[in-house]
Amino acid sequence: MSVRILALVGSLRAGSHNRQLAEAAVKHAPADVEVELFEGLADVPFYNEDVDVEGSVPEAAVRLRAVAGQVDAFLLFSPEYNGTMPAVLKNAIDWLSRPFGAGAVSGKPVAVVGTAFGQYGGVWAQDDARKSIGIAGATVLEDVKLSIPGSVTRFAETHPGDDHEVVAGLTEVIKQLTSQTATAAA
């Protein structure tokens, strides 16, 4: 059985190190695991309960929910913006949390990882993302973490997918997420 994991990246910047980290997860996922990098978070409008009614949900949000509904788990990649997670990631969580109690993330395993320029690698943002997605109904793997500090210098000339330490860390996160997915399905 193949496990499907949806990667959501909290940075929209083309050269984002978190996007590169997600690309590394896609590239280095085990043979029995498919990590899909979601494209289109920039197109999802800010969550508004007034438009979250049948027939009015924006197409980008419909697509996000549809893709998310087909996966077994989530892997969130969060940089740190002003000490917290980026709005685009929080917005995706908001859309995926609805309808409350039955959203696309409900009961599904989630791990949060990331990289940031600071000395702690974005841990505050990642902790906030864990809190938010947990409240949204996901099963957060609280002890599965990968926070890579100094992204600007560490990845100045090396793609995260070519950094053996990073690849080993990502592989372990995916392994833990896959293990939790099997446990959740049992």
Side-chain angles (χ1 to χ4, degrees), residues 33-116:
V33 178
E34 176 191 348
V35 177
E36 178 183 348
L37 177 53
F38 185 81
E39 302 287 356
L41 284 186
D43 301 326
V44 179
F46 282 114
Y47 184 79
N48 179 343
E49 210 168 0
D50 291 340
V51 298
D52 191 8
V53 292
E54 191 172 332
S56 296
V57 178
E59 181 56 37
V62 169
R63 190 170 86 69
L64 172 63
R65 285 177 171 168
V67 171
Q70 299 301 310
V71 301
D72 303 302
F74 296 87
L75 184 54
L76 308 184
F77 294 83
S78 184
E80 190 166 274
Y81 292 175
N82 297 313
T84 192
M85 76 175 120
V88 69
L89 189 56
K90 174 64 168 74
N91 188 52
I93 293 168
D94 290 345
W95 279 105
L96 294 173
S97 71
R98 305 285 197 224
F100 187 73
V105 298
S106 188
K108 292 184 182 177
V110 177
V112 181
V113 300
T115 185

